Amino acid sequence: MAQTNVNIRMDDELKRQLDLFCSEIGITASAAFNIFAKTVVRQQRIPFELSLNVPNETTVKAIEEGRELARDKNATRYTNMADLRAALEDEV
């Protein structure tokens, strides 16, 4: 079977880590990419989940603020949405 070259650009540190991992499991990075390509073709899908479930910096800060408020015994509490909405409207 004829072979062809594929060029892939990646960060130097990522390449170093990939080469190290592949070496530890006894294959080359080229073999790893071939395994990936063959799996994609065989399964007709990317063989792992792709997601954006990692929260960004703003969300991380909001989560921490919520946790701090939950721990604060002096924080105002609401038992229903109407009271919360009224309090928010009063702030405007």
Side-chain angles (χ1 to χ4, degrees), residues 8-16 18-19 29 33:
I8 300 170
R9 293 188 183 277
M10 72 174 64
D11 179 79
D12 288 337
E13 179 60 17
L14 178 60
K15 169 88 167 59
R16 187 193 69 73
L18 175 64
D19 287 340
F33 282 110

Side-chain angles (χ1 to χ4, degrees), residues 59-79:
T59 303
V60 169
K61 286 179 181 177
I63 291 169
E64 184 53 37
E65 180 182 357
R67 288 178 178 157
E68 288 175 16
L69 283 170
R71 290 188 294 264
D72 184 354
K73 302 299 181 198
N74 297 318
T76 305
R77 306 273 192 247
Y78 301 95
T79 58

Side-chain angles (χ1 to χ4, degrees), residues 3-92:
Q3 294 193 352
T4 188
N5 288 327
V6 176
N7 294 318
I8 300 170
R9 293 188 183 277
M10 72 174 64
D11 179 79
D12 288 337
E13 179 60 17
L14 178 60
K15 169 88 167 59
R16 187 193 69 73
Q17 292 173 1
L18 175 64
D19 287 340
L20 179 63
F21 171 79
C22 289
S23 175
E24 288 175 0
I25 64 170
I27 64 173
T28 64
S30 180
F33 282 110
N34 273 292
I35 292 167
F36 170 77
K38 288 177 182 181
T39 303
V40 167
V41 170
R42 183 175 58 253
Q43 295 181 0
Q44 291 296 291
R45 66 181 189 87
I46 302 295
F48 46 81
E49 181 181 341
L50 299 174
S51 67
L52 295 175
N53 290 333
V54 177
N56 63 29
E57 184 178 338
T58 301
T59 303
V60 169
K61 286 179 181 177
I63 291 169
E64 184 53 37
E65 180 182 357
R67 288 178 178 157
E68 288 175 16
L69 283 170
R71 290 188 294 264
D72 184 354
K73 302 299 181 198
N74 297 318
T76 305
R77 306 273 192 247
Y78 301 95
T79 58
N80 60 65
M81 286 300 295
D83 290 346
L84 173 59
R85 184 175 289 119
L88 289 171
E89 288 172 355
D90 286 345
E91 288 183 11
V92 177

